[in-house]
Structures are given as structure tokens and as C-alpha cells.
Amino acid sequence: MIIDQTFPWDSWRNLPASQQPQYPDETHVRTVAQQLRSRPPLVFAGEVDDLRALVGEAARGNAFILMGGDCAETFAHSTADRIRLKIQTILQMAVVLTYGASVPVVKVGRIAGQYAKPRSSDVETRGNVTLPSYRGDAVNERDFTAQARVANPARLLDLYQHSAASLNLIRAFTQGGYADLRRVHEWNKGFMSNPTYKRYERLAREINQAVGFMEAAGVDSEALRVVDFYASHEALLLEYEAAMTRVDSRGGEHYDTSGHFLWIGERTRDPKGAHVDLLSSVRNPVGVKISHTAKPDDLFALMDHLNPQAEPGRLTFITRMGAGNIRECLPPLLEAVKQDGRPVTWVCDPMHGNTITSSTGYKTRSFETIMKEVEGFFTAHREAGTVPGGLHVELTGDDVTEVLGGAAHLDDEGLRARYETAVDPRLNHQQSLEMAFRVADLLREATTA
């Protein structure tokens, strides 16, 4: 581990740090980190504060968080068209969820920073050859060669550049008329023209009537034409996150300016570890992935470290338990946190606990199993008298074939057509919208219970 106590948030360097690249040249790492410290912030403290307040509203049931995007972004796929389609998909989902929840939907992308992934093994073996695992484009390359798999700190500069370009484009899309509610609604009407999705016709018709009423009434406010869109990623690469941390001139507090919302993964959530320590020092809203192995004491320790002031919107638990575990494992945690009384926002990640291997050899997930976990999440909250605050999904705006099922009945053989993910399987555009319609019904039940 590189030791450099130059900055007040660098205490993490003295703690265990898992899932970090093994860079061959520490001097090169120092040089890159110094360059990153001189770069402009990617997001601004005021935006972070706004999002933290919205996450707090979601904990009270006054908003709902939709967080979606690639499992792992790649430099090659960070193109204008792919970003546009991803934003379009999230906006379409948000319109449906807003109507179902009757509260604002907070739109957060797994975007502009999600270029690294934790791995279950440090190495990958093919035949007689063993090489370091691919850890995302921010670390090394996917090609299975010794040279490609070397961890290269210069790629952190590429991570910064691609994130900056993506955020510039996202701001243009969401503030320049592309996100107009009426335009997004027209896209959803195109989705409904497919007979496969007739089961959602009632809700689509109600949304159409609501939009029609606003147009007839002459409603044409700024809120219909632009949206706030926030960027999130897993704060995995500690050198990058530390280098992107800045002191806010307004009050001297620390903000990680690599993204608005940052999360800590299931593999790196040790309360005494480096990831928790680093994020405990910044003002961003922070999420922690929680699997079925978590116990109440684990959550209390994370609350102690990450939100000692019990501030609403500061801490989100993102549950990723698996459809077969959530109904048994989530309720005790909900009850324990409820009794504790400190504010927490609960978000469901129905993807990571439900990964399987298809008969054709593809890493995949079943759409119905994903939805079973979402339904279990809502049921557990209804029974506990707590608030389901959001949804965290891996998706793309492209028509890939990576997740089984859905109304289009994608089967094992169908996975071959367009299986493109860098790491984990994602919902395609149609599956994402189908999920939105089904979750909208769950939200309506939650708000009328």
C-alpha cells in the first residue's frame, strides 16, 4: 500500500484495503494521483447536497430512487448513442414509476464512473494459462494476454476523461429538452404498441390521460422540460476516489467529486476497512450493498462509522439478497434498524443475488427471479411498516440478450444473439420498461396500503 499522509481523508491508507489493483510501479501511481488532484471536479458540492436531501425524502416515502446503468462501463462503449439510449431508458422508467408512486422519482445513473468491478478471484485460468482477473477498464484490459491484464494506473486518467465527457453529455440531454416529459411519454407509447406488453395497457392508458390533461390545461412549466440526473458508481479504487476528494470552499467540508452518490460493495463493507473509512470522511450520500449474510450488528457498525450524526439521506442500505433469501433475511434487519431509530434509506438491488449459468454457458439472470426479489422487498417493507425507498438495477438502453425471460420470453439459445456485457448480465431496454410497469403496480399498492 502506498503511504502518503498529505490529505486529511487519507487515514484509509493505514487500514486493510481489499479488491485493489496490484500496480507494478508505485511511483507511477503517485504521479497519476497527483495529476488527478489537479483536475477539475466532475460534480459539485451543491449538487451532492441536493441529492442527499432527496435520498432523505425517499426514506420518508416522499420520493423514490431509480438507480440504473451498466454493471461495468467500458471506454469503447461510452459513446454518445449508447449514453443517450441509457438515459432514455431511465427516463422512460421514471415516468412510469412517478405515476405509480405519485411521488418524484430521483434519477441516478450507474454511469460516468462505473469502470471498475470487484472480482471473486484475483486470477483467471483458461486451459493451462493463469492471468490476473479483468477488473474493469479503469484497471486493465479484457484481452486474455499477460500484457493486457497488467494493472496500469494511467487508466485512471482515462477513467476521469471518459467520466467527464459522459457527464457533459448527460447534462446536455437532461437540461436541453431531450428529457421533456411529453417526449418521454411518446417513447413509452411506442413500447406499448407491441402486443407483447398488452398486460400493461391499463396503466399506460392512465398515464396517457394524465399527460393529456396537463397539455389541455396548458401546463408548460420548466419541471416538464428538464430533469435533475445524478451520477453514481462503486467507490472501489481508493487511489482514484482519494485523488478526486476536494475541500468545499463554502464550509471546508470534504466531497468526493468523482460522482454524486457512491456505494461500497458487499466485498468491501468491513466497518474497520479502508473503503468505509474513506467514505466516512466525505459529505456524499453513501450506499452499502448488503447480502443475506448481514446481521443487525453489521448494520449498526456501518451506521456508527458512516452516519454518526444520524443525518437523513446520508446512508442507504442497498439489499442484494437473492430471491430465495429476501423474505427470510430482510425482515430482521428492517426491524432492527427501525427499533434503532436512526434514518436509513432502503433500496433493492435484485440483480446481484440472482446470477446463474445458462445451459448454453452464459452468465445470466432470470427476469422472473429478479422480479420475485423486488416483490419480496416490497412485501417485507409492508409487513415491517417501513419504506421501500428505491430500485438499483443493471440495465442498458440497447437490445442486448443477457437476461432470460420477460414478456418476450428470451430463452437460453436466445442469449447467443447479442450477449455484450463486460462482466454481469443487464436488462435490455424492453425488459427495463417491463420492470418499471410491474414496479409501478407495487408502488401503488404500497402507497394505498
Side-chain angles (χ1 to χ4, degrees):
M1 179 60 64
I2 301 169
I3 305 298
D4 180 2
Q5 291 287 344
T6 305
F7 299 95
W9 51 85
D10 269 350
S11 58
W12 64 267
R13 296 182 183 278
N14 299 316
L15 300 172
S18 61
Q19 296 287 332
Q20 298 307 288
Q22 299 301 305
Y23 293 116
D25 184 348
E26 293 190 356
T27 301
H28 192 186
V29 179
R30 290 177 185 273
T31 301
V32 168
Q34 187 61 40
Q35 289 178 283
L36 286 169
R37 291 187 186 107
S38 69
R39 299 286 174 93
L42 293 177
V43 303
F44 303 103
E47 298 171 339
V48 172
D49 292 342
D50 290 343
L51 178 58
R52 192 173 58 251
L54 290 170
V55 175
E57 290 300 310
R60 292 186 284 268
N62 299 325
F64 188 80
I65 300 166
L66 173 62
M67 191 178 300
D70 283 310
C71 64
E73 297 177 278
T74 63
F75 297 156
H77 284 175
S78 293
T79 63
D81 283 344
R82 288 178 183 270
I83 293 170
R84 175 181 57 81
L85 289 173
K86 205 178 305 178
I87 299 301
Q88 176 179 327
T89 300
I90 293 171
L91 294 175
Q92 287 182 261
M93 294 176 73
V95 167
V96 176
L97 293 173
T98 299
Y99 188 82
S102 296
V103 296
V105 170
V106 184
K107 292 162 277 289
V108 185
R110 287 174 56 109
I111 199 167
Q114 186 59 15
Y115 292 98
K117 289 287 286 184
R119 303 313 301 262
S120 56
S121 174
D122 290 336
V123 297
E124 177 184 357
T125 300
R126 300 184 188 180
N128 296 323
V129 179
T130 298
L131 296 174
S133 293
Y134 169 66
R135 290 186 173 273
D137 278 11
V139 177
N140 53 9
E141 299 177 41
R142 290 178 69 185
D143 292 345
F144 194 71
T145 67
Q147 182 178 0
R149 292 298 176 89
V150 173
N152 181 0
R155 300 181 77 83
L156 296 178
L157 299 172
D158 295 331
L159 159 60
Y160 175 90
Q161 290 301 127
H162 280 88
S163 298
S166 296
L167 282 166
N168 284 339
L169 189 58
I170 290 165
R171 289 183 173 115
F173 281 145
T174 55
Q175 302 297 314
Y178 185 77
D180 188 295
L181 174 65
R182 290 150 295 194
R183 176 197 291 262
V184 177
H185 177 59
E186 287 300 315
W187 296 334
N188 276 348
K189 287 169 70 175
F191 168 79
M192 289 308 304
S193 66
N194 187 330
T196 302
Y197 305 104
K198 291 287 285 184
R199 61 187 290 189
Y200 311 118
E201 186 174 21
R202 173 189 55 80
L203 181 56
R205 186 168 57 248
E206 291 177 11
I207 297 172
N208 188 54
Q209 290 170 346
V211 174
F213 172 80
M214 287 189 290
E215 290 180 330
V219 177
D220 191 29
S221 70
E222 186 76 1
L224 295 181
R225 294 192 295 272
V226 301
V227 300
D228 292 323
F229 194 99
Y230 300 96
S232 72
H233 62 269
E234 181 176 358
L236 183 64
L237 301 179
L238 294 168
E239 290 290 350
Y240 179 75
E241 304 302 337
M244 291 303 298
T245 298
R246 307 282 189 269
V247 178
D248 180 30
S249 60
R250 300 172 304 171
E253 294 181 302
H254 307 154
Y255 288 78
D256 186 338
T257 65
S258 69
H260 299 103
F261 182 103
L262 306 167
W263 76 83
I264 300 166
E266 165 71 13
R267 295 184 178 96
T268 53
R269 62 172 173 83
D270 178 1
K272 298 180 180 179
H275 292 83
V276 170
D277 185 78
L278 176 58
L279 291 195
S280 72
S281 68
V282 298
R283 291 287 290 140
N284 304 64
V286 172
V288 183
K289 292 288 187 81
I290 300 297
S291 77
H292 66 284
T293 65
K295 305 301 181 187
D297 284 348
D298 299 330
L299 274 56
F300 296 151
L302 289 164
M303 295 160 72
D304 292 342
H305 283 79
L306 292 170
N307 195 16
Q309 304 302 318
E311 180 184 7
R314 161 63 178 169
L315 180 59
T316 297
F317 287 139
I318 306 171
T319 61
R320 42 146 297 174
M321 296 185 168
N325 298 314
I326 192 163
R327 290 292 291 114
E328 176 183 355
C329 298
L330 181 56
L333 301 182
L334 295 179
E335 186 59 32
V337 172
K338 179 182 177 181
Q339 292 301 318
D340 177 87
R342 286 177 286 180
V344 165
T345 305
W346 293 94
V347 169
C348 176
D349 170 1
M351 310 292 290
H352 284 89
N354 296 305
T355 304
I356 59 174
T357 301
S358 74
S359 63
T360 48
Y362 289 94
K363 185 180 183 181
T364 187
R365 293 154 175 158
S366 161
F367 183 82
E368 286 305 321
T369 304
I370 290 168
M371 286 308 308
K372 182 180 177 183
E373 179 156 358
V374 176
E375 291 160 3
F377 177 79
F378 275 87
T379 299
H381 280 283
R382 184 178 66 251
E383 293 176 351
T386 51
V387 177
L391 192 62
H392 179 116
V393 292
E394 292 182 335
L395 60 80
T396 175
D398 301 319
D399 291 322
V400 298
T401 54
E402 296 170 3
V403 172
L404 297 167
H409 303 296
L410 180 67
D411 60 16
D412 282 15
E413 289 298 325
L415 295 173
R416 301 180 189 275
R418 286 192 62 183
Y419 192 97
E420 300 176 0
T421 182
V423 182
D424 290 337
R426 305 158 294 174
L427 298 173
N428 61 30
H429 178 251
Q430 299 295 94
Q431 289 169 330
S432 299
L433 294 184
E434 184 177 357
M435 170 181 278
F437 275 96
R438 290 178 62 168
V439 174
D441 281 336
L442 295 172
L443 282 167
R444 294 179 81 172
E445 293 172 9
T447 56
T448 57

